[in-house]
């Protein structure tokens, strides 16, 4: 079931894209226009794609250092992994769309932004990938379901 909070989080990347498209109406040298476009292109498409793959990515949590177990390591490592993946996927999407538009002699900044906004909206509206039952995290031996470790 999709909660209102999940819906808001899911729709943030496409909203950033539509906001960047609206910012194109500002004057060419406007810092607000540049900030909106750069922020969306840096993380928007990748955040939507990472959201689609989120459950599959969480199926194998990070393992902390053996010498010093840290309870926060897993959470912080997963957040850093998803943030870096979002930035790198966004970079790849921008490069791929730009290359295709260059190849068909139809490149323009507005077209790149429009196509990426549409793809981001499509990714945000698509269903999330499910984790196969064999890859779901198993409870640690010696703990029952619902009990604290």
């Amino acid at each position: 079931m999709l909660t209102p909070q999940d819906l808001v989080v899911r729709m943030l990347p496409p909203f950033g894209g539509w906001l960047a498209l609206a910012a194109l109406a500002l004057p060419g040298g406007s810092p607000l226009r540049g900030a909106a476009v750069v922020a969306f292109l840096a993380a928007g498409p990748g955040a939507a794609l990472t959201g689609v793959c989120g459950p599959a990515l969480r199926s194998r949590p990070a393992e902390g250092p053996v010498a010093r177990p840290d309870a926060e390591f897993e959470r912080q490592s997963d957040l850093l992994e998803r943030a870096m993946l979002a930035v790198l996927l966004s970079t790849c999407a921008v490069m791929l769309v730009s290359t295709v538009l260059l190849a068909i002699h139809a490149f323009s900044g507005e077209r790149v932004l429009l196509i990426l906004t549409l793809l981001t909206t499509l990714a945000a509206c698509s269903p999330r990938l499910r984790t196969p039952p064999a890859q779901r995290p198993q409870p640690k031996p010696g703990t029952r379901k619902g009990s604290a470790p």
Side-chain angles (χ1 to χ4, degrees):
M1 185 72 184
L2 191 64
T3 65
Q5 182 182 6
D6 291 337
L7 183 63
V8 168
V9 169
R10 185 182 274 200
M11 289 299 147
L12 277 177
F15 176 73
W18 294 110
L19 187 66
L21 279 171
L24 292 180
L26 295 172
S30 171
L32 187 60
R33 176 181 177 169
V37 170
V38 168
F40 171 70
L41 292 179
L49 291 172
T50 304
V52 170
C53 303
L57 290 173
R58 286 189 291 272
S59 68
R60 296 193 54 137
E63 295 179 13
V66 177
R68 193 186 81 201
D70 186 9
E72 289 292 310
F73 177 82
E74 181 180 325
R75 186 180 68 80
Q76 293 171 352
S77 180
D78 287 342
L79 285 174
L80 179 62
E81 175 185 328
R82 290 188 67 176
M84 289 306 300
L85 189 59
V87 170
L88 294 175
L89 283 174
S90 291
T91 304
C92 291
V94 170
M95 291 175 61
L96 183 64
V97 168
S98 298
T99 302
V100 168
L101 289 176
L102 280 170
I104 62 172
H105 304 288
F107 179 81
S108 76
E110 291 84 11
R111 285 189 186 128
V112 170
L113 191 59
L114 177 63
I115 291 171
L116 287 172
T117 299
L118 292 173
L119 291 174
T120 301
T121 303
L122 182 66
C125 293
S126 66
R128 303 300 187 222
L129 296 178
R130 293 187 181 193
T131 306
Q135 292 183 355
R136 289 195 177 128
Q138 300 297 321
K140 294 182 181 180
T143 59
R144 296 180 325 169
K145 184 176 180 180
S147 65

